[in-house]
Amino acid sequence: QEQLVESGGGVVQPGRSLRLSCAASGFSFSSYGMHWVCQAPGKGLEWVAVIWYDGTKKYYAESVKGRFTISRDNSKNTLYLQMNSLRAEDTAVYYCARGIAGGSDAFAMWGQGTMVTVSS
Amino acid sequence: QTVVTQEPSFSVSPGGTVTLTCGLTSGSVSTSYYPSWYQQTPGQAPRTLIYNTNTRSSGVPDRFSGSILGNKAALTITGAQADDESDYYCVLYMGSGIWVFGGGTKLTVL
């Protein structure tokens, strides 16, 4: 059974850091591009970042560029999102999503999400 | 900055047909934008319906179809059912690895 499980969310003060993880199972993780997508409370979906199947290419939304870093460990079937210099507007549910193929492709499947709250 | 547009809300009668659209504030949507569609109910993760304009994701009933209509991407739902009542999001590929979501359409079945 293909599955994505996010973890690492929580409450963090503005300016601090947080690292999210997304554990993949049931499919060949190293063959697919992976995304992070967020959703602020009561708002729509917002694409955050993508990483190629082999980690060689990474792209970010302008809103997080320079603050967030996407990475992956194919030996552990795990995707990460390092979130630095967090702001109140980063408060959202963060979903990881598997791409349809190895690059920046549409989202084939989703995890259940992890909530990040940035508040003092 | 180009924005992806969707109808904020739409309603359909049970058994009816509805077409939701996904456009651009500047320019036309084509297959080169690889439009895809996602369904989300409150408190749940999104579910992939359609990708690459018109390819149904595994397990998605053929009541859901995607296309390009004029200068927009479109999601058509035929034979609407009560459990189709959800938020629907489109996303477009803008090049250079970047994706942009529309604001979503809240579909009511009544």
Side-chain angles (χ1 to χ4, degrees), chain A residues 35 47 104-107, chain B residues 33-34 36 91-93 97-101:
Chain A
H35 300 262
W47 178 81
S104 185
D105 307 285
F107 322 116
Chain B
Y33 284 88
Y34 301 97
S36 53
V91 70
L92 301 178
Y93 181 64
I98 305 297
W99 294 83
V100 178
F101 280 94

Side-chain angles (χ1 to χ4, degrees), chain A residues 7-120:
Chain A
S7 60
V11 179
V12 61
Q13 292 179 329
R16 303 297 290 264
S17 299
L18 203 61
R19 189 177 83 156
L20 306 183
S21 298
C22 168
S25 59
F27 64 94
S28 179
F29 178 73
S30 61
S31 297
Y32 294 94
M34 295 293 297
H35 300 262
W36 287 100
V37 175
C38 71
Q39 186 170 35
K43 302 297 184 181
L45 299 171
E46 180 182 1
W47 178 81
V48 174
V50 64
I51 185 168
W52 252 235
Y53 71 101
D54 58 359
T56 56
K57 295 183 180 179
K58 307 173 185 181
Y59 297 96
Y60 300 90
E62 282 298 323
S63 59
V64 306
K65 199 175 290 185
R67 299 189 301 124
F68 290 9
T69 301
I70 189 171
S71 62
R72 65 192 298 160
D73 186 336
N74 285 346
S75 68
K76 296 182 178 179
N77 290 342
T78 303
L79 174 73
Y80 303 101
L81 185 67
Q82 178 67 42
M83 311 167 71
N84 297 333
S85 303
L86 281 161
R87 306 166 179 168
E89 54 265 35
D90 296 320
T91 294
V93 175
Y94 284 77
Y95 297 101
C96 64
R98 193 197 81 188
I100 290 163
S104 185
D105 307 285
F107 322 116
M109 62 174 291
W110 301 72
Q112 283 304 303
T114 187
M115 182 71 202
V116 173
T117 302
V118 183
S119 173
S120 54

